[in-house]
Amino acid sequence: MGSLVSTWDLDGFVSEQKYYCSLTPMNPASMPAAKAVLAGDVREYTDTAIAAGQTYYIRIGAVKNGVEKISNETIISIDSYVSLSFIAAGNAGLSEA
């Protein structure tokens, strides 16, 4: 297994964040279970269950006052076992609720 380090920016304060990673595209209106639930001040997550030859769909959820806002989807294709870092794109939508 390889690893994928995801980092992101967030406007404002949130109570928690959720890291979503799927082998298929995700519908923001019907999200799967989060792969990790993180504290509100975290801006990085290392996913250590990444396999070569796969395409992953990544989203970050920001929760404030019980309302979750979901980031745009980032698509990552893993060709070989490497440690890969990326900044989640399109997270401007993760502003304060």
Side-chain angles (χ1 to χ4, degrees):
M1 287 280 159
S3 66
L4 174 66
V5 178
S6 302
T7 60
W8 56 91
D9 291 321
L10 184 67
D11 297 331
F13 299 98
V14 297
S15 55
E16 70 180 18
Q17 296 175 86
K18 297 180 181 182
Y19 170 81
Y20 297 95
C21 181
S22 175
L23 294 173
T24 59
M26 291 175 272
N27 178 350
S30 178
M31 294 296 289
K35 196 166 186 180
V37 178
L38 310 166
D41 61 344
V42 173
R43 300 296 182 266
E44 180 176 293
Y45 179 74
T46 301
D47 191 337
T48 58
I50 299 297
Q54 295 290 333
T55 296
Y56 293 96
Y57 299 82
I58 311 288
R59 288 185 185 261
I60 305 297
V63 181
K64 181 176 180 179
N65 298 326
V67 177
E68 183 177 15
K69 294 193 176 189
I70 305 292
S71 72
N72 291 335
E73 196 161 70
T74 299
I75 303 167
I76 303 289
S77 293
I78 308 298
D79 294 328
S80 61
Y81 290 113
V82 295
S83 184
L84 175 67
S85 296
F86 79 98
I87 297 174
N91 286 336
L94 295 182
S95 60
E96 244 181 277

